[in-house]
Amino acid sequence: MIVCVAVVGHQNNPLYIQSFTKGDDSLLRISILNVEGCSYHSLKRHHIVHCSLDVVDERVNNPKKSGLIINETFLGLLNPTENYKVYGYLTNTKVKFILVTTDLEVRDVDARVFFGRFHTAYVDAVSNPFHIPGKKITSRKFAERVSTIVKSFGLSSGG
Amino acid sequence: MEPDASIETSSMIRVAVIPISDVTPLLFREYAAMLLRHHTVSLNSISSFYTEHQKSPFAHQPWESGSLRFKFILGGSPPSPWEDFQSNRKILAVIGICHCPSAPDLRSVVDQFTAACKTYSSSLVQRCFAFCPGDSQLEDGSVKGSNLILFPPADRQTQEFHMQTMVQDIAASLLMEFEKWVLQAESGGTVFKTPLDSQASLSSEEVIKAKKRRLGRAQKTIGDYCLLAGSPVDANAHYSTSLELTRLTADFFWYAGAMEGSVCALLMDRMGQKDPVLEDEVKYRYNSVILHYRKSFIQDNAQRVSPLSFELEATLKLARFLCRRELANDVVELLTATADGATSLIDASDKLVVYVEIARLFGELGYHRKAAFFSRQVAQLYLQQDKKFAAISAMQVLAMTTKAYRVQSRASIGPSNDAGQTHADGGKVHHHSIVSLFESQWSTLQMVVLREILLSAVRAGDPLAAWSAAARLLRSYYPLITPAGQNGLFNALVNSAEKLPLGTRCSDPALPFVRLHSFPLHSSQMDIVKRNPAREDWWAGAAPSGPFIYTPFSKGEPNNSNKQELTWVVGEPVQVLVELANPCGFEVMVESIYLSVHSGNLDAFPVSVSLPPNSSKVITLSGIPTKEGLVLVPGCIVHCFGVITEHFFKEVDSLLIGATQGLVLSDPFRSCGAAKLKHAHLPSITVVPPLPLLVSHIAGGDGSVMLYEGEIRDVWISLANAGTVPVEQAHISLSGKNQDSVVTVASETLRSALPLKPGAEVTIRVTLKAWQLSKTDSDAAASKGMPGSSVRQAKDGSSPLLLIHYAGPLTTPGEPETVSAPPPGRRLVIPLNICVLQGLSFVKARLLSMEIPARIGEACSMQAQLERGNTEQVNSSERQADRLVKIDPNRGSWGLRLLELELYNPTDVVFEAGVSLDMENTNNQENLSDNISAEYGEPKTRIDRDYTARVLIPLENFKLPVLDGSFLGNSSQNNGTSGSRNNSFSEKNIKAELNASIKNLISKIKVRWQSGRNSSGELDIKDAIQAALQASVMDVLLPDPLTFGFRLAKTSSDDINVDSDVTSCESGDSIIAHEMTAMEVLVRNNTKEAIRINLSIACKDVAGENCMEGDKATVLWEGVLRGISMEVPPLEEVKHAFSLYFLIPGEYTMLAAAMIYDANEVLRARARSDALDEPIFCRGPPYHVRVSGTR
């Protein structure tokens, strides 16, 4: 099950982070700050996405050593963290897509298909003339589309 | 579990370093530092201290290349329960450190040391180092033989050498002890136990098993000692045996331990070389180590003790060994496994160590975010401990994570990082701070980290750190924090500040946001102008000459537009406008804010300001430059929330740029409703040495001068030098609109007052003449009412400006002339605020002609004048006599033209208008001026408010005295030579000439007015007069060629008559019927050529009938009256006498007429006759004759 997807900009700035878990997302308000919507779990997912950027960065900076084939956007499994597996995808404009899943067995094909769709959705979203590049994506349509893609994750190849 | 564990740890001899007696921590650290340098002692160097007592068990000791390694544990440590398992965990030596001056009694030192050593039962060698002993202590023989070693006071080098010798001695002693121990262990029956199997020794079966295992364990331990003794080959031999034995006895735990030891021996043997084969070997063996540690897990005592920590430690050791970028994948895998395993660790401190190590290793790999993540875990573990020291540790660990999360305190960034970078935002090159703005979007994580720092700082009792964290939190994330949370942070700030000493500085700014608003331009009183020494007008072409900074005409240098330069003067206060914003929900009290000057040549004045919630304010910060040079004003020093912070403009600028790009949560200024401001650049500011400073003051108030249209008034402007340098050069010029309204400026007065010393004052006079309001202005004035329009006038900037360029001496006194550029000059702009009110308004002008016949008489004045015989004089005198409309009845006025001006007074004051004529063509200038001044005394026309009045101007006086060719000269010549071919051309010429004359004429007519006591002026009606005169200007200007006059002749008989009739002379007209009246007709030639004429005289009665001829002639005559041919010389008069005899008393009119023969062009042109042969007829004005009846 996908628990989180994220889009990270070329300056490693988060453009979009969405969690897909229900129930356990108990809203744990940070006592003295009263930060809106900052739950323990989403915080954890932020951390996972944030940490995974280390690996992406490394692959971006020395693509040869890490064996990244040129023009290969799919970065594969970035790192298994605790109970999660993190997959990455890097566009030519250095925008990163991060997928966090709890599935123990994820086929590369599924991940590739997912990222392909996700990329298309992202391109459509930023093609909006009113979108400012570098700014967080707030489009509701994009969110809907992403959740559809997330739901269909793994189904296409009969997983 | 221990921090810093690595594969080589197994070969390190643990030495406890403990303070003995009173040693201050600082001294202890200093002495220890000296000791710590000797962590590796080569075997070679200790051979001199070493004596072989028996055959050494370390057969393969590498005396040439090997070494002993120490691990100094400052302060010592409690014995580990795993000492038997890993001998390197034992404290094998104790070194005490004593500072003699604070411990006079050496005996007690020895006692204390001995007592302290008792806690380290495993220690084999003990030494106490006593530093700086006194002479008496050195001589004290009582401590001889104990292990107290005195370090005599000496220089550092000697002491270090001494120390090295002592450490080598200890190393040798240890080596000998190890040999002893190994020999003993090989023979003796020592039982090795670990916490894992201590309780399992109950059953006999277990005892037997343990005995079996003893041998393997002993071999492993001997191997350990071999390692410590620096003999890897021996160690390896023992470990190999141990591996065999432990495998047979299924003693997995010890098997793993022996394996670990063997890897260490392998690495030691290879002396630090690393090759892939070795790496693979190490990896392989360590994987086996980890596997066997895992195997040794016993469910029974899992609650109490578990080999898990050894497993994790081994994993970390391997990870540390592999820790290189190329092997990042392997290391990350190992570390992830460790992190997973750490969750099931029982001991909290073990967990802490694991996380610390994981964080360190990630950091080493370059995975800063992961490192930060685990550091945070460490900090959380510390925070769980609920101790002050733990909180301090947590705070310090969190401080390390701030870099990865981009929330670091400015203090930790360091000053050199950002200061040098320029704002060259050329395309893709992003400024460091912009990149950090991108990263700052991880607000969720950043806020959590900052909050934890705040919490830990509060708990650790570090108010400054707490303040800094709260400030960062509030400044960066206020839009995400609810008002309640903001208040919480506010309280945190205030509470922390209370615990801080007054005047504490913090590198992280809190609120408010401060941005540069603008640099107010020099007030026009203080403009600085670059001096061009090469030119007389040194101000020209230098700085802007107008009121604009940018003139489109100046040479276009695009870079210059955004890099303005400012010049400040030493000793003259300067101002900078900054805008403060408080976007939070509480009031911010800024106790003081002032410019932060890094160059140190400006005294800044603090200001205190209070910002209500969600508000912004523009405030003025001022200062006085103290020294010449460049001024750097990068920001403001703000004293707020009890702490002093520096707020940099650049940071807010990049924040605002980020806001426009959508990178930052919100623009603090915008959210406070501040106006959008164009990015203000920090100009380069130069301070120049003192300059003179002129201060102007307009006498009678600096407000605007209210003047009616055309009013003339003097304004007195006093100029004072308020600077400290004398004014040596000064030049006054005019600028702005309506410059011609300044009639005169007494620049001479100013020039003569130079040099103007500091404090000196000079007053100059400026004569102003109010200009005419334009049509639209007056219309607007009419619709709006006067006061409104006047205010608008003043604001329009239609007033002229008085520019005074002035400068001090070219070189500063006392300074050699080394600088090429002279000190700049200055410009003082004095706006002459003239407020023009609508005054008398001109309605229309009309030309009236008036014909009053003259009377024939003998005016006494006329007589007198005639006697003089000087015609020129006569003419001018005549004019003076009848300057105004007062018409001399004896002369009459024929063809007199009057200009009637209709004036309207729309104001609410009374005007008095008078007409004056400026005559310039008189020969006596003084006389004229006298006369004009006399003219002011003439009655004036009073024009009340809202009334229309008329003023008459007689134009008779403008007649030229002579009709000659000069006026019509061109035309006559042209006519004569080239005929009508050039007629159009000549006409043009005539027109031009005429216009010139008309202008001349018009300029002579002045309508002066006066209102009240002190306002007087002139009406500008030139255009109107010109329009009125245009048609008949010829008649007005030019005299007739001939003028005729009649008068009573003074015959001798008449003289007698007059004498007899004294009374008649007074009346002036003593013509009596039935008497022969002698008369004269005067014909004057006004041209410059003689004229031949045919003169005839007629007399008409009241009815207009000719009364000299015909049947009913009522007048008899004597002499010639008809066809009198005469020649009149140029500019002279000719008399023709005749006598009349009136039969009937009454009114008669005398008329003279003349036919001009051979008229020249001038005359013809005057008569407007074209035909050459047509005679020109000239008629004189009628003269009245009043004939009274007989007496």
Side-chain angles (χ1 to χ4, degrees):
Chain A
M1 185 183 69
I2 292 177
V3 290
C4 179
V5 292
V7 182
V8 181
H10 71 120
Q11 295 283 359
N12 287 338
N13 48 324
L15 297 176
Y16 180 80
I17 293 188
Q18 183 62 51
S19 295
F20 292 99
T21 43
K22 290 171 199 107
D24 63 339
D25 241 18
S26 55
L27 257 140
L28 187 87
R29 288 201 162 211
I30 295 174
S31 56
I32 67 159
L33 296 184
N34 296 328
V35 180
E36 305 287 351
C38 183
S39 73
Y40 172 73
H41 284 274
S42 79
L43 181 64
K44 194 170 176 183
R45 252 145 244 156
H46 271 84
H47 270 300
I48 291 168
V49 174
H50 188 246
C51 287
S52 67
L53 291 177
D54 273 334
V55 187
V56 177
D57 263 5
E58 191 195 64
R59 298 205 187 171
V60 170
N61 293 338
N62 15 306
K64 275 182 198 158
K65 279 177 190 165
S66 52
L68 188 74
I69 308 154
I70 297 167
N71 290 338
E72 171 64 304
T73 49
F74 182 59
L75 298 173
L77 182 64
L78 296 179
N79 53 341
T81 313
E82 297 179 46
N83 310 317
Y84 303 107
K85 282 190 165 175
V86 183
Y87 287 84
Y89 182 92
L90 177 73
T91 71
N92 290 330
T93 52
K94 302 268 194 308
V95 174
K96 297 114 192 164
F97 298 126
I98 308 286
L99 164 66
V100 183
T101 171
T102 49
D103 295 354
L104 294 175
E105 290 297 316
V106 178
R107 287 188 298 172
D108 266 9
V109 191
D110 289 343
R112 277 173 199 276
V113 169
F114 169 81
F115 278 127
R117 288 183 185 175
F118 195 20
H119 193 176
T120 317
Y122 168 76
V123 168
D124 287 351
V126 295
S127 301
N128 181 350
F130 297 104
H131 173 77
I132 301 167
K135 209 172 175 178
K136 289 195 178 181
I137 301 170
T138 48
S139 157
R140 202 183 305 145
K141 201 162 183 188
F142 177 72
E144 280 166 18
R145 202 160 152 193
V146 167
S147 60
T148 322
I149 296 168
V150 166
K151 269 176 207 153
S152 67
F153 175 65
L155 298 177
S156 58
S157 52
Chain B
M1 198 84 175
E2 284 172 348
D4 275 335
S6 70
I7 295 178
E8 285 88 356
T9 311
S10 312
S11 63
M12 287 177 182
I13 302 162
R14 217 164 267 206
V15 180
V17 181
I18 49 173
I20 300 299
S21 186
D22 269 343
V23 188
T24 58
L26 200 72
L27 272 174
F28 177 68
R29 225 171 289 149
E30 195 184 311
Y31 294 137
M34 227 195 299
L35 184 62
L36 288 181
R37 227 167 288 151
H38 306 288
H39 50 80
T40 306
V41 179
S42 67
L43 286 173
N44 203 3
S45 65
I46 61 171
S47 53
S48 55
F49 300 96
Y50 172 78
T51 43
E52 194 171 27
H53 296 286
Q54 50 207 318
K55 178 98 176 90
S56 168
F58 309 131
H60 304 284
Q61 192 137 39
W63 277 102
E64 291 308 312
S65 58
S67 59
L68 296 188
R69 302 171 73 183
F70 293 107
K71 183 175 183 177
F72 297 105
I73 296 174
L74 297 190
S77 68
S80 158
W82 304 91
E83 272 180 4
D84 275 358
F85 175 58
Q86 286 174 331
S87 307
N88 64 306
R89 285 177 191 267
K90 287 179 190 160
I91 300 284
L92 295 168
V94 181
I95 294 176
I97 285 179
C98 165
H99 183 62
C100 289
S102 57
D105 185 6
L106 290 180
R107 280 235 65 86
S108 83
V109 170
V110 173
D111 291 345
Q112 281 179 43
F113 179 63
T114 318
C117 287
K118 280 199 178 123
T119 49
Y120 301 101
S121 56
S122 58
S123 70
L124 304 171
V125 175
Q126 297 97 17
R127 295 280 190 284
C128 185
F129 292 168
F131 294 91
C132 302
D135 289 346
S136 58
Q137 287 171 320
L138 277 172
E139 286 159 15
D140 188 0
S142 61
V143 291
K144 283 247 168 81
S146 72
N147 42 21
L148 184 75
I149 296 156
L150 296 173
F151 281 69
D155 59 13
R156 197 169 172 86
Q157 211 177 348
T158 320
Q159 271 199 341
E160 273 174 11
F161 183 72
H162 197 163
M163 173 74 84
Q164 190 185 352
T165 317
M166 285 306 130
V167 173
Q168 284 167 354
D169 175 49
I170 293 172
S173 312
L174 274 171
L175 187 57
M176 291 185 277
E177 290 294 330
F178 291 160
E179 282 173 4
K180 223 183 278 172
W181 194 92
V182 169
L183 288 173
Q184 205 179 348
E186 273 182 331
S187 55
T190 325
V191 179
F192 302 96
K193 275 186 185 171
T194 62
L196 274 178
D197 44 17
S198 57
Q199 285 201 335
S201 60
L202 292 172
S203 67
S204 57
E205 195 188 335
E206 287 291 323
V207 175
I208 297 161
K209 208 173 166 187
K211 273 181 185 166
K212 273 186 190 169
R213 287 173 171 181
R214 196 202 70 85
L215 207 57
R217 293 183 178 188
Q219 283 298 317
K220 193 254 168 197
T221 312
I222 293 167
D224 283 351
Y225 273 94
C226 292
L227 272 185
L228 294 175
S231 173
V233 181
D234 290 314
N236 203 28
H238 289 286
Y239 282 135
S240 303
T241 324
S242 172
L243 283 172
E244 287 294 316
L245 291 171
T246 47
R247 200 177 59 215
L248 287 174
T249 52
D251 198 355
F252 298 126
F253 190 65
W254 284 80
Y255 178 87
M259 185 74 93
E260 262 194 284
S262 74
V263 176
C264 180
L266 180 67
L267 288 180
M268 264 179 86
D269 198 28
R270 296 292 172 90
M271 303 287 280
Q273 320 162 357
K274 273 191 181 175
D275 56 75
V277 183
L278 178 72
E279 237 162 47
D280 282 347
E281 177 68 21
V282 171
K283 216 155 68 172
Y284 170 76
R285 286 204 210 172
Y286 249 95
N287 279 332
S288 153
V289 169
I290 294 161
L291 191 74
H292 281 92
Y293 275 133
R294 204 173 290 157
K295 264 190 190 169
S296 62
F297 181 77
I298 302 160
Q299 194 59 52
D300 296 347
N301 49 16
Q303 294 299 319
R304 188 176 53 82
V305 66
S306 134
L308 180 62
S309 63
F310 283 89
E311 183 194 330
L312 297 182
E313 199 173 81
T315 318
L316 286 174
K317 280 177 180 173
L318 179 59
R320 170 150 291 156
F321 176 73
L322 296 175
C323 189
R324 264 178 300 142
R325 278 214 168 240
E326 300 84 66
L327 301 171
N329 274 346
D330 294 335
V331 179
V332 169
E333 220 165 278
L334 289 171
L335 291 178
T336 313
T338 318
D340 283 345
T343 50
S344 42
L345 274 175
I346 306 155
D347 188 8
S349 70
D350 276 359
K351 219 188 242 182
L352 195 67
V353 171
V354 169
Y355 281 136
V356 168
E357 290 299 302
I358 291 175
R360 277 184 182 177
L361 289 172
F362 270 125
E364 241 166 81
L365 268 186
Y367 285 12
H368 296 295
R369 297 181 186 86
K370 282 246 174 202
F373 176 79
F374 282 103
S375 301
R376 241 197 89 231
Q377 307 267 326
V378 172
Q380 278 178 335
L381 287 175
Y382 271 128
L383 282 177
Q384 282 168 12
Q385 288 184 16
D386 205 21
K387 271 186 284 185
K388 191 179 170 183
F389 285 112
I392 292 173
S393 305
M395 199 179 79
Q396 284 167 350
V397 170
L398 283 170
M400 287 191 277
T401 69
T402 53
K403 197 180 169 218
Y405 290 114
R406 306 260 181 202
V407 287
Q408 62 259 68
S409 158
R410 212 197 271 162
S412 65
I413 300 174
S416 62
N417 198 345
D418 206 43
Q421 290 196 8
T422 52
H423 226 292
D425 198 27
K428 294 227 165 188
V429 186
H430 276 296
H431 192 256
H432 165 79
S433 53
I434 301 276
V435 176
S436 71
L437 287 178
F438 277 110
E439 295 266 344
S440 74
Q441 295 189 11
W442 294 96
S443 48
T444 327
L445 307 181
Q446 289 160 338
M447 284 166 72
V448 168
V449 170
L450 283 176
R451 177 187 149 267
E452 280 170 2
I453 293 177
L454 175 59
L455 275 183
S456 59
V458 167
R459 217 183 278 179
D462 185 344
L464 187 58
W467 197 95
S468 156
R472 276 178 276 168
L473 205 49
L474 201 54
R475 189 173 169 91
S476 306
Y477 306 104
Y478 68 90
L480 295 177
I481 303 173
T482 57
Q486 289 179 358
N487 274 327
L489 287 173
F490 172 74
N491 290 334
L493 284 173
V494 171
N495 291 341
S496 316
E498 274 168 13
K499 289 172 196 147
L500 285 168
L502 211 64
T504 306
R505 284 177 178 264
C506 180
S507 51
D508 298 302
L511 294 176
F513 290 90
V514 182
R515 73 170 160 186
L516 187 62
H517 186 270
S518 61
F519 283 87
L521 294 170
H522 277 295
S523 68
S524 55
Q525 305 271 322
M526 296 160 75
D527 262 340
I528 291 172
V529 182
K530 217 182 250 172
R531 186 137 54 145
N532 183 358
R535 295 179 63 162
E536 180 66 24
D537 48 345
W538 46 264
W539 55 91
S545 53
F548 309 105
I549 296 169
Y550 171 75
T551 50
F553 310 110
S554 65
K555 275 175 201 161
E557 281 173 57
N559 290 341
N560 257 11
S561 58
N562 57 3
K563 204 168 165 72
Q564 32 168 302
E565 288 186 5
L566 273 184
T567 310
W568 289 351
V569 182
V570 170
E572 289 180 19
V574 292
Q575 294 185 326
V576 177
L577 292 181
V578 294
E579 189 168 17
L580 310 181
N582 168 25
C584 291
F586 49 83
E587 185 175 358
V588 174
M589 264 301 300
V590 179
E591 282 146 68
S592 73
I593 174 168
Y594 54 93
L595 293 173
S596 123
V597 183
H598 286 186
S599 46
N601 50 357
L602 182 87
D603 283 346
F605 304 138
V607 174
S608 138
V609 64
S610 135
L611 290 163
N614 284 312
S615 69
S616 66
K617 249 182 206 173
V618 176
I619 60 165
T620 306
L621 299 180
S622 51
I624 289 186
T626 53
K627 248 193 317 196
E628 53 207 270
L630 283 173
V631 183
L632 286 177
V633 186
C636 288
I637 305 278
V638 174
H639 187 190
C640 190
F641 302 110
V643 171
I644 298 167
T645 52
E646 184 165 17
H647 295 234
F648 290 110
F649 296 137
K650 208 192 282 174
E651 285 183 359
V652 173
D653 284 344
S654 55
L655 183 77
L656 296 181
I657 290 170
T660 55
Q661 291 176 358
L663 304 177
V664 186
L665 298 160
S666 101
D667 178 342
F669 291 93
R670 217 139 161 221
S671 62
C672 292
K676 203 170 175 187
L677 186 71
K678 216 183 151 220
H679 181 63
H681 283 279
L682 211 60
S684 69
I685 305 166
T686 335
V687 174
V688 295
L691 295 178
L693 176 63
L694 278 185
V695 177
S696 74
H697 167 73
I698 297 176
D702 285 335
S704 57
V705 186
M706 304 271 266
L707 294 178
Y708 290 105
E709 283 173 300
E711 183 171 344
I712 298 168
R713 191 185 288 181
D714 285 350
V715 173
W716 296 90
I717 297 174
S718 72
L719 298 168
N721 185 1
T724 53
V725 176
V727 178
E728 298 210 336
Q729 298 178 7
H731 175 89
I732 302 181
S733 57
L734 289 171
S735 157
K737 291 180 179 173
N738 292 315
Q739 286 186 25
D740 50 355
S741 63
V742 179
V743 182
T744 55
V745 179
S747 44
E748 284 305 319
T749 322
L750 177 60
R751 214 165 298 147
S752 62
L754 294 177
L756 201 60
K757 292 254 158 38
E761 195 171 343
V762 62
T763 306
I764 59 170
R765 192 184 70 170
V766 176
T767 310
L768 299 177
K769 182 185 173 194
W771 60 89
Q772 296 295 308
L773 291 176
S774 65
K775 191 70 189 153
T776 49
D777 282 342
S778 48
D779 282 355
S783 64
K784 278 188 180 177
M786 291 309 295
S789 84
S790 67
V791 168
R792 195 174 57 87
Q793 276 289 312
K795 274 184 187 167
D796 270 353
S798 53
S799 301
L801 304 170
L802 208 58
L803 297 185
I804 302 180
H805 288 92
Y806 61 98
L810 271 168
T811 47
T812 31
E815 233 176 74
E817 201 172 341
T818 47
V819 270
S820 54
R826 301 193 103 157
R827 178 182 51 205
L828 171 65
V829 178
I830 307 170
L832 297 167
N833 285 326
I834 304 173
C835 196
V836 178
L837 302 177
Q838 198 182 5
L840 274 187
S841 71
F842 169 80
V843 180
K844 63 180 174 188
R846 259 191 312 173
L847 196 64
L848 303 173
S849 61
M850 203 186 210
E851 303 203 331
I852 304 167
R855 294 196 133 180
I856 297 175
E858 288 177 282
C860 296
S861 60
M862 200 171 186
Q863 185 92 15
Q865 284 153 19
L866 280 170
E867 305 269 291
R868 279 191 227 162
N870 185 340
T871 45
E872 188 90 23
Q873 193 64 39
V874 169
N875 273 320
S876 82
S877 309
E878 266 177 342
R879 248 182 239 115
Q880 285 169 21
D882 52 14
R883 172 150 286 133
L884 286 177
V885 203
K886 278 190 269 170
I887 291 163
D888 178 3
N890 292 320
R891 271 197 82 222
S893 174
W894 196 257
L896 172 68
R897 285 186 168 77
L898 293 168
L899 184 64
E900 185 201 64
L901 299 176
E902 195 172 329
L903 303 176
Y904 173 63
N905 178 7
T907 65
D908 45 6
V909 291
V910 176
F911 279 93
E912 283 181 338
V915 177
S916 72
L917 304 164
D918 285 343
M919 289 304 157
E920 282 157 34
N921 57 345
T922 47
N923 42 8
N924 194 340
Q925 192 70 37
E926 270 180 43
N927 191 19
L928 173 80
S929 61
D930 283 348
N931 282 315
I932 286 181
S933 61
E935 204 104 48
Y936 280 116
E938 297 292 333
K940 299 200 167 164
T941 314
R942 183 185 155 94
I943 309 170
D944 282 329
R945 42 182 297 207
D946 286 338
Y947 276 89
T948 306
R950 292 175 188 192
V951 178
L952 288 176
I953 305 168
L955 297 178
E956 180 82 345
N957 311 296
F958 296 101
K959 279 220 198 294
L960 298 170
V962 179
L963 177 72
D964 63 357
S966 72
F967 183 65
L968 296 165
N970 286 338
S971 68
S972 59
Q973 264 179 4
N974 284 342
N975 281 346
T977 54
S978 35
S980 58
R981 264 194 309 161
N982 286 344
N983 214 16
S984 62
F985 176 69
S986 67
E987 268 174 18
K988 257 186 205 166
N989 275 350
I990 294 171
K991 261 203 178 134
E993 288 284 331
L994 264 179
N995 281 338
S997 309
I998 293 165
K999 267 196 188 135
N1000 186 30
L1001 163 68
I1002 289 166
S1003 64
K1004 286 176 191 165
I1005 303 173
K1006 300 249 157 104
V1007 178
R1008 294 212 161 86
W1009 54 259
Q1010 198 167 5
S1011 170
R1013 182 167 293 176
N1014 52 11
S1015 61
S1016 63
E1018 229 177 71
L1019 214 53
D1020 182 34
I1021 46 169
K1022 284 181 182 161
D1023 293 344
I1025 296 175
Q1026 184 159 6
L1029 288 183
Q1030 198 65 51
S1032 50
V1033 71
M1034 288 275 268
D1035 297 331
V1036 173
L1037 266 179
L1038 298 182
D1040 291 329
L1042 297 172
T1043 44
F1044 304 91
F1046 289 93
R1047 69 176 179 199
L1048 296 178
K1050 293 179 293 275
T1051 56
S1052 54
S1053 63
D1054 212 350
D1055 274 341
I1056 298 157
N1057 274 348
V1058 171
D1059 281 343
S1060 59
D1061 305 335
V1062 184
T1063 48
S1064 68
C1065 195
E1066 300 220 312
S1067 66
D1069 46 358
S1070 54
I1071 302 167
I1072 299 161
H1074 305 294
E1075 242 179 50
M1076 202 60 162
T1077 311
M1079 292 176 109
E1080 281 174 344
V1081 62
L1082 298 170
V1083 180
R1084 182 184 148 78
N1085 181 358
N1086 284 330
T1087 67
K1088 284 181 173 168
E1089 281 169 52
I1091 301 174
R1092 283 198 310 115
I1093 54 167
N1094 184 0
L1095 177 75
S1096 43
I1097 299 159
C1099 183
K1100 289 180 177 174
D1101 62 9
V1102 184
E1105 299 282 322
N1106 192 342
C1107 50
M1108 283 202 256
E1109 283 162 37
D1111 319 338
K1112 298 175 189 173
T1114 50
V1115 180
L1116 306 178
W1117 48 277
E1118 185 190 77
V1120 191
L1121 290 184
R1122 215 161 267 276
I1124 313 150
S1125 282
M1126 49 168 54
E1127 186 170 311
V1128 189
L1131 299 174
E1132 277 188 30
E1133 278 180 332
V1134 171
K1135 267 186 267 183
H1136 172 74
F1138 62 96
S1139 298
L1140 292 181
Y1141 187 89
F1142 296 94
L1143 296 173
I1144 303 161
E1147 289 274 338
Y1148 297 88
T1149 303
M1150 301 293 295
L1151 278 171
M1155 192 90 107
I1156 300 173
Y1157 299 116
D1158 307 332
N1160 58 13
E1161 289 85 357
V1162 180
L1163 295 176
R1164 244 196 301 283
R1166 177 70 183 96
R1168 295 196 186 97
S1169 79
D1170 294 333
L1172 275 172
D1173 50 350
E1174 190 185 337
I1176 293 170
F1177 191 70
C1178 232
R1179 225 163 59 106
Y1183 275 71
H1184 279 214
V1185 180
R1186 189 188 179 85
V1187 180
S1188 48
T1190 48
R1191 278 176 271 189

